[in-house]
Structures are given as structure tokens and as C-alpha cells.
């Protein structure tokens, strides 16, 4: 990836992507990050050796890719302040801000921009994230490949061809780490009631989830088959799974994901209206 990349914003997600890019072979000299003050940028510069700047317009002057990594609530002001520079440079724009649709960001940046919306998740912070990406019609195949490379630095990438499907991505991966944390929490509480120390229960639950995810990732079998393979007729696993089915766990998960997707859609409309 021989491209100049500028990150507007230097928070946790931007830092994780930058670290992943450098680990994958991108030169720190090709990466710039911006923030309102040098004190915010100094630790990142010291740790990773990248370029930093408190002037967004100066930072994108030679950029091939500009990653928008600021909070959605301040995105409009940030974009409008660098509109002329973006129009002059015409970089690929990648937004990792939740809830702001591509057309709104494009308008704030002056229009006709090659723009990719990305929905990453928090495991990206440890290099095993999952990101859903959507490209507007101005994005070239080369730029699409560039966006893929950039986000693969922190995990897997899946493209959707309709922007509205990013709400479903939010439900299945963007918000989903919290679903599993809830599962760990519930399993730990239940194990303590069964007599295990909390720390032991937590380690066993987390390691088991890691093992199950690794098996699912490496196997050519679907989750239903893998589940069946663990179950013996009349055994302990069958009894536990049957109890979950009787308690309508599938419906609970489906309803929760629907609520998540609906809230993502509502947030997008609220933010775009401001």
C-alpha cells in the first residue's frame, strides 16, 4: 500500500488501525494523524513514529486516503472546515463514524467525493475486528481495494452493496461484542451459583468462547452442524440447548438485533438532520 494516509482524529480506533497498518508493512512516514492539540498526538507519534498535525487542511494536502475518525456529533464542522482542501486534493474518503450516511458526509465535503463508509467493531482494537464497508458510486475498483487493505490491517472485511445494510452489519458485528460480554457475564454468575470461583468461571467461559469461535472459523461445517456434533442424545449439552430453545433464545437474539438495526437507522436520520 504505497499511499499517503491521513487520519482526521487520533482516538482509539484510529490508533488501532494505524498500528495495524504499520504492522502490515506500511511506512510510518506515509501516515499522518491530526487532533486539536499536540498533547493529544504526542503519545501516538512517540509510539509509532507517524507524522502528526493540528491543522487538518495541511494534513490532507498530499493525502491519497483521508480517514474520518472523529465523533459523529462534530463531523459536520470538521468536514466543512476542510471542504476546499478535499475538493482540491480529491482523496478517497473513508468514514468510520457511526450513523452518518455517505450522502450527508459527501455534501459536507462539497460533493462528488469517492467515499467509503466503514462500520468496524471494538475487537479491531486488538487486531481481530470485523468491518462492514459500503462504497458510493464515485469509488473506483482501485480505491475499493485500497479500503479493503486498510481495514484488513485490524481484521476481516465484508462489503455490502446497499448502504442500508450497514444497519444489519451494526446488529451482527458492530454492536455484537457486547452480546458476547453479556453471555460471559451471565455464565459467570450462573457458574458461581453452581459453586465455582468467579475468576475460574470467567477464564473457562472466555476460553471456551475463543475455542468455539476458532473451530467455527476453521471448519467448513455450518454452526448448526458444529452444535449438533457437541450434543449426545440424552446428554448434558442436549439438555442445556433444549432449555435455551424452550426459552426462545433465538427469538430474543432476533428481536435484539432488530432493535439494534432500527436504532442505527434512527440515529442516522437524527445525525443527518442536524
Amino acid at each position: 500500500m504505497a499511499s499517503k494516509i491521513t487520519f482526521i482524529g487520533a482516538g482509539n480506533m484510529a490508533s488501532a488501525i494505524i498500528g495495524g497498518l504499520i504492522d502490515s508493512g506500511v511506512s510510518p512516514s506515509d501516515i499522518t494523524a491530526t487532533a486539536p492539540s499536540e498533547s493529544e498526538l504526542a503519545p501516538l507519534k512517540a509510539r509509532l513514529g507517524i507524522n502528526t498535525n493540528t491543522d487538518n487542511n495541511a494534513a490532507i494536502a498530499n493525502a491519497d486516503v483521508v480517514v474520518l475518525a472523529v465523533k459523529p456529533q462534530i463531523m459536520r464542522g470538521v468536514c466543512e472546515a476542510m471542504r476546499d482542501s478535499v475538493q482540491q486534493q480529491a482523496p478517497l474518503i473513508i468514514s468510520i463514524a457511526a450513523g452518518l450516511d455517505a450522502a450527508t458526509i459527501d455534501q459536507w465535503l462539497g460533493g462528488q467525493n469517492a467515499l467509503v463508509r466503514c462500520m468496524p467493531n471494538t475487537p479491531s482494537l486488538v487486531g481481530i475486528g470485523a468491518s462492514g464497508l459500503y462504497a458510493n458510486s464515485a469509488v473506483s475498483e482501485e480505491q475499493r481495494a485500497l479500503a479493503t487493505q486498510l481495514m484488513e490491517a485490524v481484521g476481516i472485511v465484508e462489503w455490502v452493496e446497499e448502504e442500508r445494510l450497514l444497519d444489519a452489519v451494526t446488529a451482527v458485528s458492530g454492536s455484537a461484542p457486547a452480546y458476547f460480554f453479556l453471555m460471559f457475564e451471565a455464565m459467570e454468575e450462573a457458574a458461581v451459583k453452581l459453586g465455582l470461583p468467579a475468576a475460574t468461571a470467567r477464564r473457562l467461559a472466555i476460553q471456551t468462547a475463543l475455542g468455539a469461535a476458532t473451530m467455527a472459523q476453521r471448519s467448513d461445517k455450518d454452526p448448526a452442524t458444529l452444535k449438533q456434533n457437541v450434543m449426545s442424545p440424552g446428554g448434558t449439552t442436549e439438555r442445556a440447548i433444549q432449555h435455551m430453545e424452550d426459552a426462545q433464545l433465538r427469538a430474543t437474539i432476533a428481536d435484539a438485533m432488530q432493535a439494534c438495526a432500527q436504532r442505527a437507522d434512527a440515529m442516522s436520520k437524527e445525525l443527518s438532520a442536524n
Side-chain angles (χ1 to χ4, degrees):
M1 186 190 298
S3 300
K4 300 289 185 183
I5 307 166
T6 292
F7 288 78
I8 306 298
N12 289 337
M13 190 61 72
S15 299
I17 298 169
I18 292 168
L21 288 170
I22 292 171
D23 288 344
S24 68
V26 176
S27 172
S29 64
D30 287 333
I31 301 173
T32 300
T34 75
S37 69
E38 285 291 352
S39 61
E40 296 175 66
L41 295 165
L44 195 59
K45 184 173 185 176
R47 181 164 60 90
L48 298 175
I50 63 169
N51 306 303
T52 59
N53 205 314
T54 57
D55 184 336
N56 290 343
N57 287 291
I60 66 176
N62 296 304
D64 301 299
V65 182
V66 172
V67 181
L68 301 176
V70 299
K71 294 183 185 303
Q73 293 80 3
I74 66 168
M75 182 68 81
R76 179 171 189 166
V78 169
C79 287
E80 289 181 345
M82 59 184 195
R83 175 190 295 154
D84 292 345
S85 298
V86 167
Q87 289 292 309
Q88 182 175 349
Q89 183 64 18
L92 170 64
I93 304 293
I94 300 177
S95 169
I96 61 172
L100 281 171
D101 64 71
T104 297
I105 297 171
D106 182 48
Q107 179 185 359
W108 291 342
L109 290 170
Q112 306 301 312
N113 297 286
L115 195 148
V116 170
R117 273 191 66 195
C118 174
M119 172 52 65
N121 62 8
T122 53
S124 299
L125 301 176
V126 291
I128 46 175
S131 298
L133 274 64
Y134 163 79
N136 71 4
S137 59
V139 175
S140 68
E141 285 303 314
E142 183 180 4
Q143 289 173 321
R144 191 177 172 114
L146 194 57
T148 298
Q149 282 184 277
L150 191 142
M151 293 311 301
E152 280 183 341
V154 289
I156 69 162
V157 166
E158 292 289 339
W159 285 88
V160 296
E161 299 308 314
E162 298 177 58
E163 187 172 11
R164 66 178 181 83
L165 293 177
L166 287 179
D167 293 341
V169 170
T170 300
V172 77
S173 61
S175 295
Y179 313 165
F180 294 100
F181 297 147
L182 174 61
M183 186 75 169
F184 297 156
E185 187 181 3
M187 289 176 70
E188 180 182 330
E189 290 171 357
V192 168
K193 289 180 181 177
L194 290 170
L196 281 178
T200 299
R202 184 177 303 174
R203 284 195 298 270
L204 288 172
I206 292 171
Q207 182 67 17
T208 300
L210 176 63
T214 303
M215 286 182 68
Q217 192 175 54
R218 294 179 181 176
S219 177
D220 58 357
K221 298 180 175 65
D222 62 24
T225 302
L226 292 172
K227 178 196 68 181
Q228 201 64 41
N229 288 347
V230 185
M231 297 164 60
S232 301
T236 58
T237 308
E238 183 184 66
R239 181 65 60 86
I241 293 298
Q242 188 59 56
H243 190 84
M244 292 180 187
E245 295 283 17
D246 291 345
Q248 302 296 308
L249 178 62
R250 291 174 188 265
T252 298
I253 292 171
D255 289 348
M257 291 177 64
Q258 182 68 33
C260 181
Q262 287 174 343
R263 180 57 187 148
D265 179 60
M267 286 177 62
S268 178
K269 289 172 179 164
E270 290 166 11
L271 288 164
S272 298
N274 292 334

